[in-house]
Amino acid sequence: MFKPWCLCICLLSLAPHFSACDESCTLQHITGDDAKFCSDDLHVVYPEIGDVSCLRIPSCLNYTQSLAKVWGPPVIKYSKAEKDKAYLLMMVDPDAPSRANAIRKYWRHWLVPDVQGQDLITGTSLRGRVLTAYSAPSPPANTGSHRYQVLLYLQPPESSPSLLLTENSLGSWDIDAFASRNRLDGPVVTTQFMAQNPRQKALSN
């Protein structure tokens, strides 16, 4: 006899970003003022779930658990990159440890200068000089949704962005001071996605 849950499992295997069993398991678009940070041209793609740019990652189907513990860095794609130019990629959390009390804001999750424009256009692996290795989003429990912001800066010719010894700490990072010191105008494009601790089921800001 046909069992409805069999169909559900089949559908989930075909479309990992959508649950036919539970409508709350869809990736919801970020709205309001938070959406203003997003660009249609910058894509953040986790192969296991797809493009998460300007989306909330739900806790169902172990998505947020996998984001924090299993998945590697996303593919970054920017269709309007200049192929012969170099870019600096930055990924930060402005809501550390929580959006209501962001005393460690702009927690640095990823920092890679010398990214080739051609790689951004094609969405291939980034060939850059890693200053801060990718650290997966893993917000503390009971701190609500965190924004994970991705910023791309165009590097001046022959520049070599670097961190100061005083910037060893990932938290409480002054991204404006870093950009100014390294002569980075912009950013030229930004986007973000949102996630929360997997033990916190309900969506919150």
Side-chain angles (χ1 to χ4, degrees), residues 98-165:
S98 70
R99 191 163 184 172
N101 184 35
I103 57 175
R104 304 298 304 280
K105 67 180 179 180
Y106 300 116
W107 188 281
R108 196 167 65 249
H109 279 265
W110 206 10
L111 185 64
V112 186
D114 303 335
V115 175
Q116 302 303 303
Q118 182 62 40
D119 290 348
L120 292 170
I121 294 171
T122 59
T124 57
S125 297
L126 298 180
R127 293 175 293 170
R129 179 169 49 89
V130 178
L131 294 181
T132 300
Y134 173 77
S135 174
S138 184
N142 302 314
T143 59
S145 292
H146 285 231
R147 295 166 291 171
Y148 293 94
Q149 299 182 336
V150 177
L151 306 90
L152 277 180
Y153 294 81
L154 187 63
Q155 281 183 216
E158 301 180 1
S159 70
S160 183
S162 61
L163 290 166
L164 300 174
L165 291 177

Side-chain angles (χ1 to χ4, degrees), residues 33-145:
D33 288 341
D34 286 331
K36 297 176 182 178
F37 198 83
C38 302
S39 168
D40 293 336
D41 304 313
L42 183 57
H43 304 280
V44 181
V45 182
Y46 288 94
E48 300 85 350
I49 195 172
D51 186 3
V52 298
S53 180
C54 216
L55 296 176
R56 290 176 178 266
I57 298 179
S59 297
C60 55
L61 298 181
N62 289 325
Y63 282 152
T64 50
Q65 179 72 17
S66 297
L67 175 68
K69 303 294 185 182
V70 180
W71 300 343
V75 173
I76 305 297
K77 188 171 183 179
Y78 177 42
S79 59
K80 294 185 177 179
E82 298 182 59
K83 65 179 182 179
D84 297 324
K85 298 291 181 66
Y87 291 80
L88 179 138
L89 167 69
M90 181 188 299
M91 178 173 161
V92 295
D93 174 4
D95 302 322
S98 70
R99 191 163 184 172
N101 184 35
I103 57 175
R104 304 298 304 280
K105 67 180 179 180
Y106 300 116
W107 188 281
R108 196 167 65 249
H109 279 265
W110 206 10
L111 185 64
V112 186
D114 303 335
V115 175
Q116 302 303 303
Q118 182 62 40
D119 290 348
L120 292 170
I121 294 171
T122 59
T124 57
S125 297
L126 298 180
R127 293 175 293 170
R129 179 169 49 89
V130 178
L131 294 181
T132 300
Y134 173 77
S135 174
S138 184
N142 302 314
T143 59
S145 292

Side-chain angles (χ1 to χ4, degrees), residues 3-19:
K3 298 182 182 297
W5 57 263
C6 293
L7 175 61
C8 180
I9 292 174
C10 292
L11 289 171
L12 286 174
S13 66
L14 292 172
H17 61 281
F18 177 74
S19 168

